[in-house]
Amino acid sequence: MSDLLTQLANLLGDKGFLQGDALRDHPACAFVIPRGLIRPASTEELSQAMKLCHSAGQSVVPQGGRTGLVSGQCAQTDEIIISLERMNNIQSIDTRSRTMRVEAGVPLQQVQECAEERDLMFPLDLGARGTATIGGNLSTNAGGNRVVRYGMARDMVLGLEAVLADGTVISSMKSVIKNNTGYDLKQLFIGSEGTLGIITRAVLRLRPKFRSQNTALVAVSSFEQVTELLGRADSALGGSMSSFEVMWNSFYSCITQHSDKHRLPLPVDYPYYVIIEAMGGDIAADDERFHAAMEDLFESGLVADAVLAKSTSEREAIWAIRDDMEAIYALYPLFAFDVSVPLPDMEAYVADIETQINAQWPDNRLIIFGHLGDGNIHVVVAVGSDAPEVKQAVENIVYGALRERHGVISAEHGIGQEKKRHLAISRSDAEIALMRTLKLAMDPTGILNPGKVIDIACA
Amino acid sequence: MSDLLTQLANLLGDKGFLQGDALRDHPACAFVIPRGLIRPASTEELSQAMKLCHSAGQSVVPQGGRTGLVSGQCAQTDEIIISLERMNNIQSIDTRSRTMRVEAGVPLQQVQECAEERDLMFPLDLGARGTATIGGNLSTNAGGNRVVRYGMARDMVLGLEAVLADGTVISSMKSVIKNNTGYDLKQLFIGSEGTLGIITRAVLRLRPKFRSQNTALVAVSSFEQVTELLGRADSALGGSMSSFEVMWNSFYSCITQHSDKHRLPLPVDYPYYVIIEAMGGDIAADDERFHAAMEDLFESGLVADAVLAKSTSEREAIWAIRDDMEAIYALYPLFAFDVSVPLPDMEAYVADIETQINAQWPDNRLIIFGHLGDGNIHVVVAVGSDAPEVKQAVENIVYGALRERHGVISAEHGIGQEKKRHLAISRSDAEIALMRTLKLAMDPTGILNPGKVIDIACA
Ligand SMILES: Cc1cc2nc3c(=O)[nH]c(=O)nc-3n(C[C@H](O)[C@H](O)[C@H](O)COP(=O)(O)OP(=O)(O)OC[C@H]3O[C@@H](n4cnc5c(N)ncnc54)[C@H](O)[C@@H]3O)c2cc1C
Ligand SMILES: Cc1cc2nc3c(=O)[nH]c(=O)nc-3n(C[C@H](O)[C@H](O)[C@H](O)COP(=O)(O)OP(=O)(O)OC[C@H]3O[C@@H](n4cnc5c(N)ncnc54)[C@H](O)[C@@H]3O)c2cc1C
């Protein structure tokens, strides 16, 4: 087997392959020292390296920025890590067809900034933007703050290139929006967390940069009204609504009690708080439309109270409440979940887990907030312990209650290793069997990110 | 083998299985009389029927509304047709989460109307709406008139159910927008033209119904300006632009010369004509924004001449020009193509095929128009003959010129049987090999719509 390490070293050189002592200082090896670390400079190099790994039956773990939240990027001591960190170039940007060709190791923020310099926008946005890479974003089909308007990472990519387990390069780097020429292979690599191929390059779709941004924080008295507000606001804002974020009272009151950073834009005694934001191309007209829509909503009785941000600092103050994880983390130990529930079932879902958690841990904190415009909520549960058996009991409640409500155990973050045990809550036996069929067809010896998403019995 | 027919008749009854004389009057058998016609009433029935066909090695051809343009729905005499015509129910509509559960045989128009009755919209729209089915739309990943704003059929579906070649039911009927729980299996069935599974049901995503609609026809002097106009208009209309349709002078002058139905909104001597349309939620504000945007564009010098529709009948008159295929068909015999070309290459592409066609058939008509907002154009070529060798020569020019410009041979319509010969222009050998791997993994005996999209050598 150490034949393989020699072959890789010969192929890739000192910069392209790290082993032994050279691994110790690399951040990829902070927790576990793997057999080696491949840092390809090109798709062709990666292809050659994968041919060697494939022949040797060597398992590999693809890594981007290592910001994943479900341990999909974590390697074992007998595995080789493949880091895309040297494939971090923006290859070209075309302002006419509004596309950008990038290598998979480019950090998201660099892509955003490059687009902005050209008066365009790459709409994907998430907290880890400075470190997370396009390859990681696509492999996890990342979501983030603007899904309600622009969709998930899957919706922002036109072309893709990936290297298969045996080193074959699948290059579909087309930059056209409409392409019905046989199976859409890129879909296989998006969201499969590095288990079907290693993404090396992509053609991203850019959008016009917005010029106007309008933000309101509104208080609502019932969940019924929250869902009605969502429909009405989306409709009235005519395609320009870019966020509809809901904070349950549990969240709003926790943030404002546990942190003195915030001025209180609205009193703490409402059941729900919603941030509504719209982005558009015409400052004057958009402002007017936003104000008119908010006025209508207020008059309709759906909104109990509201503030409209009148300046950037007021907008930032509103978002600072939503983004203040410090106050949440102060509740440590805690468990955080990222689930989707169909809107008509969401209120009952929250009531159900609340009842169950109260019954088992009377002294708990249950905090709910999230991207309600997408049916996605974050559930934070603090019961005073994070012992494994407590974790399992809490997971069984939070995930278990999803089953009959057709919710899903992962809205954004993926399955990785963390949620594998619960996959059957969201996927049928037949679906999991078909996932295995695909995995075996594309990676028959199971060397690509083994143990992530699903387990397989290999040939 | 006629054992199989008896088994199917016993399983499905007179209504569910047609054979012999009963086939003659069925529209599915207008051109070819197949071995039989399966008309399942439920997913479960189809699953049982597929188990029988699978055991018998019987090839099957799924059919929706039979409006496909690439002969993907056409069967041979030794095949069995599967028509979804009895699975044509809208199962439920949920206005809160804005989703609709439908059986695959529902015609598109019925879905559109059902959504509209609830003040919602299913944005997919195409000329064959009255006959084409949701199953057909998804299997072909249909496009249509509003892709620039709402995307393709793929982008409008949250959940999907399909029956595999061996009768296994893959049911992923989730109605949530965000679902990162392992491989997104529905992507396999969307756009694969019935070769990987038979779509039986779907959860569709609905949008708020638009209230405002603004339409302009503008004349532009150069292609460079057309592409700049696209970016500026999209940006100024801030997410509300729903169509950006371009007619080359060849199209506009042909329509207005060959048909006396049209009042001429603009003189015929401009090189390009663009229909720009926006839809939104607020009539007054949207009208104002549209007018302001058009005024800006006019002042910028990008627009040589323009008319804004001031009434529904004026809007219809503008669209009637774009939709008047009669004048085009009057040029018969002709060949029509549906291709995508990256915008920066489009002008050169058109010039290239024009030169080649002029050289071979000096007396030709070459007419270009299309969904330029999506990089998708229709190319109509009339050279006075539609003999097979002429067809091949024209195809070689129109498709051949796409290769170096990274265009694709099918933007919307798919591959079916018609474009299979040219698939390698748009897809690499490695891509086609991976398509075969997937096909063999999911349908090892090749009974699902054989000979469509790709050919395989079966086990
Ligand atoms: C502060 C913070 C905020 C976050 N907010 C969000 C959010 O709002 N929405 C959201 O969806 N996620 C969020 N995340 C999660 C994370 O940022 C995303 O999953 C991100 O897309 C991962 O990118 P990465 O480059 O760090 O990938 P990694 O963590 O390195 O890898 C993630 C997975 O993708 C695989 N992978 C990585 N690169 C490749 C490649 N080139 N080819 C094939 N497989 C590859 C890995 O094997 C692993 O399974 C957040 C994380 C943090 C720390
Ligand atoms: C006047 C006219 C205008 C058109 N305009 C457009 C347009 O703007 N954009 C566009 O994209 N297309 C357009 N088309 C093409 C056609 O309407 C679409 O391809 C449509 O989606 C086909 O639907 P169908 O139900 O008629 O499918 P069919 O023609 O019956 O089948 C099409 C393909 O899908 C498969 N299939 C059908 N149902 C299923 C199922 N349930 N499961 C699995 N496979 C299935 C068939 O085997 C076949 O390969 C147009 C056609 C016409 C006649």
Side-chain angles (χ1 to χ4, degrees), chain A residues 92-100 115 118-120 158 175-177 204-208, chain B residues 148 222-234 241 244 248 272 302 341-349 372-375:
Chain A
S92 64
I93 175 166
D94 172 13
T95 54
R96 278 215 272 179
S97 62
R98 295 189 291 192
T99 56
M100 194 191 284
R118 267 81 172 181
D119 225 25
L120 292 168
L158 300 176
S175 65
V176 295
I177 294 171
L204 306 176
R205 182 176 182 182
L206 307 176
R207 302 287 183 161
Chain B
V148 70
S222 75
F223 191 80
E224 176 87 34
Q225 289 177 319
V226 171
T227 59
E228 197 174 333
L229 182 65
L230 169 60
R232 294 257 211 131
D234 193 8
M241 187 171 80
F244 190 91
W248 268 244
Y272 302 93
L302 281 178
V341 187
L343 281 186
D345 299 302
M346 198 177 278
E347 195 178 9
Y349 169 76
L372 205 87
D374 323 313

Side-chain angles (χ1 to χ4, degrees), chain A residues 2-69:
Chain A
S2 72
D3 249 16
L4 172 67
L5 302 191
T6 313
Q7 288 171 331
L8 287 170
N10 290 341
L11 173 71
L12 301 165
D14 275 0
K15 273 187 133 171
F17 185 64
L18 307 189
Q19 54 178 319
D21 282 349
L23 293 170
R24 292 187 188 278
D25 293 335
H26 196 282
C29 311
F31 302 109
V32 171
I33 305 281
R35 283 199 80 200
L37 175 63
I38 292 172
R39 303 165 70 234
S42 68
T43 304
E44 186 47 33
E45 267 191 20
L46 178 59
S47 166
Q48 297 297 332
M50 282 309 297
K51 281 189 183 131
L52 295 176
C53 292
H54 190 249
S55 304
Q58 173 64 53
S59 293
V60 300
V61 179
Q63 281 190 354
R66 294 180 294 277
T67 67
L69 297 171

Side-chain angles (χ1 to χ4, degrees), chain B residues 62 64-68 72-73 133 136-137 139-140 142-144 193-194 199 412 449:
Chain B
R66 294 180 295 277
T67 69
Q73 72 279 24
T133 63
N137 298 156
S139 304
T140 60
E193 304 181 42
I199 296 175
E412 294 195 333
N449 217 3

Side-chain angles (χ1 to χ4, degrees), chain A residues 61-74 82 84 104-106 124-129 131-145 152 162 189 192-195 197-200 329 338 371 376 378 411-414 416 449 452-453, chain B residues 178 180:
Chain A
V61 179
Q63 281 190 354
R66 294 180 294 277
T67 67
L69 297 171
V70 291
S71 308
Q73 71 279 25
C74 299
I82 295 176
L84 278 289
V106 183
L124 186 69
D125 191 37
L126 41 85
R129 66 184 73 79
T131 314
T133 62
I134 292 297
N137 297 156
L138 293 175
S139 305
T140 59
N141 186 28
N145 301 330
M152 309 277 283
F189 304 109
S192 57
E193 303 180 43
T195 62
I198 302 163
I199 296 174
T200 47
Y329 288 136
D338 163 52
H371 317 295
N376 173 198
H378 298 298
E412 293 195 333
H413 299 160
N449 218 0
K452 314 295 163 62
V453 187
Chain B
K178 289 160 91 169
N180 277 347

Side-chain angles (χ1 to χ4, degrees), chain B residues 419 422 432:
Chain B
K419 300 190 179 182
H422 300 283
I432 293 174

Side-chain angles (χ1 to χ4, degrees), chain A residues 365-378:
Chain A
R365 292 294 294 267
L366 173 64
I367 291 179
I368 317 258
F369 63 106
H371 317 295
L372 206 86
D374 322 313
N376 173 198
I377 49 174
H378 298 298

Side-chain angles (χ1 to χ4, degrees), chain A residues 197-218:
Chain A
I198 302 163
I199 296 174
T200 47
R201 293 194 302 155
V203 181
L204 306 176
R205 182 176 182 182
L206 307 176
R207 302 287 183 161
K209 188 158 95 179
F210 56 87
R211 301 203 182 88
S212 74
Q213 187 171 11
N214 279 286
T215 313
L217 176 70
V218 310

